[in-house]
Amino acid sequence: MSVEVERKFLCSDDTLKTLEEVGVCLGQRQFHDQYFDTPEFELTLRDMWLRKRKGCWELKCPTATVNGTEDPKAEQSLAAALCTHYKEITSLPEIHHRVKEAVKDACEDRETEAAPSHGDESCISKMNLVCFAEYTTVRRSFTLGEEGVQIDLDQADFGYHVGEIEVLIPEGGDVRSAQEKIRNAAQKLGLPGNERVEGKMNVYLKRYHPEHYAKLLSAHVL
Ligand code: V4E
């Protein structure tokens, strides 16, 4: 299981120019995401994001807070405030287990259910889940040469463009050092040091499902 540490940014023409000068383009791909939750939003209210991308189930959920041995310096605190970090789970039995824990009465066949095998997605399909968001993204990816840092420029089909600087670490890995790598990459790109930027989902929900968005705002998930 890995943890994705990332910072979103708005990609101006100047940032794109810098990225094309100092970075190496890794290619472009397109994917369609469908996000699922119960009608009562039991997953997203727990900051759990279940999606199907390219036919595969994925679950993003919060990781434990970062414990350093020393108090963070001001620039470390700012770097942390601009970044998110989520566990990325792709194993079906693990996803099933986590969703079942989070959602009361989720499985129709609770009494008879057995742990799903790796390829069996029927257990997820049987849960009382509905698709609340779906969109297609065209993603261009770059590297700046710094080990483990990837930069994605996303263009969603509902008209929102956003960039992400991301570092993948193993579970229990050093989140602070990932945040530091992200801060260095942001400096190379000349990004403002204190700009919090909305992700695609924030913008999508605000625009198309304002009630769901309002619930997540009041629960301090978004
Ligand atoms: C909304 C959300 C999640 C759903 C996925 O969001 P995002 O990272 O924007 O998707 P995407 O397509 O870039 O996924 P990737 O290919 O990088 O895996 S996961 C966590 N959240 C909450 C959240 C938040 N509270 N604040 C920000 C800035 N982003 C996401």
Side-chain angles (χ1 to χ4, degrees):
M1 202 182 302
S2 52
V3 170
E4 184 191 69
V5 186
E6 74 173 32
R7 173 184 161 174
K8 304 254 186 339
F9 65 93
L10 294 177
C11 190
S12 65
D13 289 347
D14 282 349
T15 311
L16 181 59
K17 201 161 160 257
T18 310
L19 185 54
E20 286 173 338
E21 278 165 12
V22 301
V24 176
C25 184
L26 299 172
Q28 176 171 304
R29 66 196 182 104
Q30 178 171 320
F31 48 87
H32 184 73
D33 288 326
Q34 292 175 296
Y35 283 88
F36 294 85
D37 201 347
T38 63
E40 296 77 28
F41 313 130
E42 288 162 282
L43 293 180
T44 52
L45 282 170
R46 288 175 170 81
D47 205 9
M48 293 171 71
W49 302 88
L50 176 66
R51 74 182 172 209
K52 207 171 195 187
R53 175 179 289 182
K54 292 192 167 225
C56 296
W57 289 98
E58 302 176 351
L59 179 67
K60 285 187 155 198
C61 33
T63 56
T65 46
V66 185
N67 288 319
T69 46
E70 295 163 16
D71 284 341
K73 299 191 188 92
E75 64 266 25
Q76 286 176 325
S77 300
L78 183 58
L82 296 174
C83 289
T84 57
H85 47 102
Y86 284 85
K87 250 183 250 177
E88 290 197 326
I89 303 165
T90 51
S91 142
L92 268 182
E94 182 69 22
I95 292 176
H96 180 254
H97 173 72
R98 301 241 178 183
V99 171
K100 196 158 66 76
E101 287 275 293
V103 177
K104 295 180 289 307
D105 302 326
C107 249
E108 284 170 9
D109 57 349
R110 282 174 86 77
E111 290 86 34
T112 56
E113 80 188 280
S117 66
H118 278 274
D120 175 17
E121 58 174 289
S122 63
C123 60
I124 295 184
S125 307
K126 280 182 195 148
M127 290 181 177
N128 181 25
L129 302 172
V130 288
C131 174
F132 66 90
E134 88 177 285
Y135 45 80
T136 298
T137 300
V138 175
R139 170 171 289 176
R140 256 195 308 159
S141 299
F142 296 81
T143 169
L144 290 185
E146 172 125 22
E147 208 188 324
V149 179
Q150 182 167 315
I151 293 163
D152 292 332
L153 299 185
D154 283 0
Q155 200 173 324
D157 62 357
F158 57 90
Y160 185 60
H161 295 212
V162 69
E164 312 180 334
I165 307 173
E166 66 175 49
V167 174
L168 280 184
I169 57 173
E171 196 181 2
D174 190 346
V175 176
R176 283 236 178 110
S177 114
Q179 289 166 342
E180 187 58 25
K181 284 184 180 181
I182 290 173
R183 193 163 68 94
N184 289 337
Q187 273 177 351
K188 278 190 196 164
L189 294 180
L191 297 179
N194 54 1
E195 185 184 43
R196 289 192 83 144
V197 170
E198 293 180 305
K200 288 172 289 190
M201 182 59 79
N202 289 49
V203 173
Y204 182 94
L205 289 178
K206 200 191 292 183
R207 200 178 286 177
Y208 301 110
H209 296 290
E211 283 176 26
H212 189 173
Y213 178 73
K215 284 207 163 117
L216 296 178
L217 268 193
S218 0
H220 306 290
V221 171
L222 293 180

